[in-house]
Amino acid sequence: MRVLIVEDEPNLGNQLRNTLEGAGYAVDLARDGEEGHFLGSTETYDAIILDLGLPEVDGLTVLDRWRKEGKATPVLVLTARDSWSDKVAGLDAGADDYVAKPFQTEELIARLRALIRRASGNASAELTAGDIRLDTRSGKVTRAGEPIKLTAQEYKLLSYLLHHKGKVVSRTELIEHIYDQDFDRDSNTIEVFVTRIRKKLGQDVITTIRGLGYSLDEPAETAS
Ligand code: CA
């Protein structure tokens, strides 16, 4: 899952980026409203964290522009403390949720997870396919109850496929959702990650749809 943070306070922006990367997200960080608007319009994100008080273009204007452009990406706005008018204005402009500053990072991440889940039609924090489980809160993956260790990129890829279970996902789509902007994107690495995930979780986990991409369905229960 890939997230854009638009935040002009350097410390807060860096801290959020580090925390989210540690939680298994690909993250881009924009430092002002203009750059934020540009990235949100031209790149593909699963969710956006948008500060309202921003240099160049303010957050509400940025959000309003995205919505007028037809961008439906879930947006969580960061509002000034106790500013109910900020919250109302944010929601009216098309925000999906808000967190007031100062906030607990855990709360922000929990709300972000929920936004991403809802956008992909998943009600539970635990994503499953057959006996495969991925807990989006802890980042733990198991198959038939056995813990499976995945690298950060393998986790991102599996998480994206589980969020879109049963759908055919192209390589391009995977690349857009598991790498940040600065990453040297090479579509061949996707095949490498898929091969590694199959080695760790089982050959039946991800189906290659020739010429189209990959699909993760309900694999059969493993015999125990
Ligand atoms: Ca600010």
Side-chain angles (χ1 to χ4, degrees), residues 182-214:
D182 300 328
F183 205 91
D184 182 19
R185 298 172 187 186
D186 175 357
S187 70
N188 291 322
T189 57
I190 298 289
E191 185 66 42
V192 173
F193 293 143
V194 167
T195 304
R196 288 198 206 141
I197 292 170
R198 283 181 182 141
K199 258 186 197 147
K200 292 180 179 181
L201 271 169
Q203 293 299 326
D204 57 339
V205 167
I206 300 168
T207 311
T208 302
I209 316 286
R210 206 163 289 282
L212 293 175
Y214 303 96

Side-chain angles (χ1 to χ4, degrees), residues 4 6 32-38 40-41 48 50-52 54-69 93:
L4 171 66
V6 191
D32 63 58
E34 200 170 335
E35 188 192 6
H37 172 252
F38 176 75
S41 295
I48 298 173
L50 176 68
D51 185 29
L52 290 187
L54 290 170
E56 307 299 336
V57 185
D58 71 88
L60 279 180
T61 305
V62 170
L63 180 54
D64 188 52
R65 285 185 190 167
W66 283 333
R67 294 312 185 219
K68 283 188 176 135
E69 289 162 9

Side-chain angles (χ1 to χ4, degrees), residues 21-119:
E21 282 177 351
Y25 296 93
V27 182
D28 290 330
L29 175 59
R31 307 281 188 181
D32 63 58
E34 200 170 335
E35 188 192 6
H37 172 252
F38 176 75
L39 284 178
S41 295
T42 54
E43 297 286 326
T44 309
Y45 297 99
D46 297 291
I48 298 173
I49 297 172
L50 176 68
D51 185 29
L52 290 187
L54 290 170
E56 307 299 336
V57 185
D58 71 88
L60 279 180
T61 305
V62 170
L63 180 54
D64 188 52
R65 285 185 190 167
W66 283 333
R67 294 312 185 219
K68 283 188 176 135
E69 289 162 9
K71 276 270 164 191
T73 315
V75 172
L76 185 155
V77 294
L78 303 179
T79 66
R81 183 160 50 120
D82 296 335
S83 171
W84 63 267
S85 56
D86 263 13
K87 291 168 195 164
V88 171
L91 293 170
D92 277 347
D96 299 272
D97 201 357
Y98 62 83
V99 172
K101 289 180 171 183
F103 51 81
Q104 296 292 327
T105 313
E106 289 76 13
E107 185 193 351
L108 179 79
I109 293 182
R111 287 180 176 275
L112 188 70
R113 272 199 306 267
L115 271 189
I116 291 173
R117 276 205 320 264
R118 284 204 297 271

Side-chain angles (χ1 to χ4, degrees), residues 160-174:
Y160 190 82
L161 288 176
L162 274 168
H163 274 89
H164 300 88
K165 186 170 70 174
K167 296 181 186 134
V168 178
V169 177
S170 70
R171 275 195 199 189
T172 311
E173 185 175 343
L174 281 170

